[in-house]
Amino acid sequence: MLSLIKCEFVKLKRRKIIYAVFLSAMLFPAGLSLLLKMPRFAGRYGSPAELYDELYISSVGFGIQFLLPVVLGILSSVLFFTERDNDTFKALRTVPVTSRQLVLAKIGVLMISSVLYAFVTHLTIAIFGSMFFTYNDCPGYALLTLCNGIFIAWVLCRWLF
């Protein structure tokens, strides 16, 4: 099963879509931190620690809750329609891999991509938060972000199947 997941990631790497996924994970917190750094927005908060909390809450609340399902939907359509578009599904039927194993590998890729997306978002928040604001990150923030990524991937996979 792990070799199937590895093959799916190699196929995604060739399509260059995986780079766009992780770039989208970095753009929202980066842009939001630059926006919060402006004096017009920074004056609303009492301390840089509050600014960091707002950066985290907004990035997780909007970046992961709204953007991650869209990104995973695009990624799942790329994953599931690659064989049909390239007409390689017939050749795949000759390999001793069942359709169930293939679908489970693609769902595994979606789950791993979701967790990686949440991790990259958390790292971007930590980097920009330490550059511009008081970095008061706790392990609870990292755990919350990763659990959020797992939950959204699970909901999407349950909705798709």
Side-chain angles (χ1 to χ4, degrees):
M1 182 60 102
L2 291 177
S3 62
L4 287 175
I5 291 175
K6 182 180 174 185
C7 287
E8 292 296 328
F9 270 116
V10 168
K11 283 195 287 188
L12 278 178
K13 187 178 172 185
R14 274 188 265 146
R15 301 269 324 239
K16 306 281 193 264
I17 188 82
I18 201 79
Y19 300 118
V21 166
F22 293 125
L23 181 66
S24 69
M26 290 185 279
L27 284 179
F28 190 76
L32 188 62
S33 64
L34 292 175
L35 184 70
L36 286 173
K37 183 69 174 155
M38 295 173 67
R40 185 172 67 172
F41 293 105
R44 297 180 185 171
Y45 301 97
S47 68
E50 289 179 10
L51 278 167
Y52 179 80
D53 289 338
E54 181 65 29
L55 171 67
Y56 180 80
I57 291 168
S58 297
S59 293
V60 170
F62 295 118
I64 290 182
Q65 295 291 333
F66 294 138
L67 193 59
L68 183 59
V70 173
V71 168
L72 286 179
I74 293 169
L75 194 61
S76 65
S77 66
V78 167
L79 277 171
F80 283 98
F81 292 115
T82 301
E83 280 84 17
R84 189 195 67 178
D85 293 343
N86 296 338
D87 203 26
T88 58
F89 191 70
K90 295 173 192 170
L92 243 134
R93 298 304 305 160
T94 62
V95 178
V97 174
T98 64
S99 297
R100 182 179 177 172
Q101 287 176 329
L102 191 63
V103 168
L104 287 176
K106 290 176 187 291
I107 290 173
V109 168
L110 285 176
M111 294 288 272
I112 292 169
S113 297
S114 177
V115 170
L116 288 175
Y117 183 94
F119 183 70
V120 168
T121 300
H122 180 74
L123 280 181
T124 307
I125 293 169
I127 290 169
F128 280 96
S130 64
M131 281 178 15
F132 296 133
F133 313 118
T134 301
Y135 178 71
N136 59 346
D137 198 19
C138 65
Y141 278 171
L143 183 64
L144 179 69
T145 306
L146 292 177
C147 288
N148 208 348
I150 291 169
F151 176 73
I152 289 176
W154 179 78
V155 167
L156 183 69
C157 290
R158 293 290 298 172
W159 181 71
L160 286 175
F161 305 104

